[in-house]
Amino acid sequence: PMIDKMLSFLKKNFSILLFPLLLLLAMLASYALFLPEMGFYWDDWQAVYLFQFQSPTLYWNYFLGDRPISAWTYILFQPLLGVQSWHWQLATLFSRAIGIWLLCAAFWRVWPQQRKTIQWMGLLLAVYPGFSQQNIAVAYHQHFTTFVLFSGSMYFMVRALQTNKNTWRWTLPALAAGLLHMLTMEYYVGLEALRPVFIFLILQQLNPD
């Protein structure tokens, strides 16, 4: 019975599960070839220097002047990823893929008839040539972590609006992720302008009058 349930789940959600796999494969094909040659660059070095002291307090003090809350990402990820540059490279690729997947999932719940178009949009975003700083992995892990939080917040909010009961299961993580992404880094605050648009469109779909 368990195997039958798993096969049924995979069959029902194949297209949903296939998309993040395609995203990840596209990003690995674009970037993974160069991972062995990658090192630390630009603002990576200030973090690498702080790594040597193994003191969470130093992160808080370092970021206290502009983004004091953002220190939590280093405190969380540095023990996990260490000082191997390729660890950080892979981590940013995974978080970028997850963020794109969540954002696309939010979009296609608003426009379910445009699923293929949105998936193509996600694949383009995954390898967008206008962004040329993927290699600055240690510093940019904060940007992609914040992107995951923003995208997750949008997705959870859409699910909350489209759910008839127990909406708190989606509302609470939407609020928590939204607050944390804005406290961590300001890069995605402008995209909050999408939120009232999504709310209006979903409410209009639920109640056309």
Side-chain angles (χ1 to χ4, degrees):
M2 180 62 71
I3 295 177
D4 291 340
K5 289 181 180 179
M6 290 177 63
L7 290 174
S8 176
F9 174 81
L10 290 173
K11 184 177 180 180
K12 187 183 299 183
N13 298 279
F14 179 73
S15 62
I16 297 175
L17 296 173
L18 181 62
F19 177 61
L21 180 61
L22 288 175
L23 267 180
L24 193 57
L25 288 175
M27 297 185 75
L28 289 175
S30 301
Y31 297 103
L33 181 65
F34 304 101
L35 286 184
E37 302 175 10
M38 294 290 98
F40 297 118
Y41 308 93
W42 292 14
D43 290 347
D44 288 351
W45 284 108
Q46 59 201 26
V48 173
Y49 175 72
L50 292 176
F51 292 168
Q52 311 307 312
F53 298 96
Q54 301 294 315
S55 173
T57 306
L58 287 178
Y59 298 122
W60 288 112
N61 293 336
Y62 183 83
F63 289 101
L64 196 59
D66 52 0
R67 300 182 184 125
I69 307 299
S70 68
W72 73 268
T73 65
Y74 285 102
I75 294 172
L76 175 64
F77 289 113
Q78 195 278 320
L80 297 173
L81 302 176
V83 290
Q84 299 294 323
S85 64
W86 70 272
H87 292 179
W88 292 90
Q89 297 288 341
L90 278 179
T92 55
L93 286 177
F94 274 104
S95 57
R96 184 176 174 182
I98 292 169
I100 294 170
W101 179 35
L102 287 170
L103 188 61
C104 289
F107 270 88
W108 70 49
R109 289 194 71 88
V110 179
W111 293 287
Q113 71 278 10
Q114 300 295 333
R115 180 182 290 268
K116 287 186 177 180
T117 302
I118 293 167
Q119 288 177 337
W120 279 113
M121 178 194 76
L123 285 169
L124 178 62
L125 189 59
V127 295
Y128 176 59
F131 177 68
S132 59
Q133 297 179 344
Q134 178 70 40
N135 59 302
I136 312 171
V138 179
Y140 271 83
H141 90 276
Q142 286 194 327
H143 300 69
F144 291 120
T145 300
T146 309
F147 178 45
V148 170
L149 291 169
F150 164 75
S151 301
S153 176
M154 295 296 290
Y155 174 73
F156 297 142
M157 181 199 71
V158 171
R159 291 298 301 265
L161 289 168
Q162 294 178 336
T163 302
N164 293 323
K165 56 183 180 179
N166 295 328
T167 57
W168 60 269
R169 293 183 304 174
W170 300 105
T171 303
L172 290 181
L175 290 172
L179 179 63
L180 188 56
H181 97 74
M182 287 186 282
L183 288 176
T184 303
M185 188 170 273
E186 71 281 0
Y187 273 70
Y188 300 96
V189 172
L191 288 177
E192 284 292 321
L194 284 174
R195 200 178 295 275
V197 176
F198 274 25
I199 293 172
F200 173 79
L201 291 171
I202 294 168
L203 293 180
Q204 189 181 52
Q205 291 169 2
L206 295 174
N207 186 5
D209 296 330

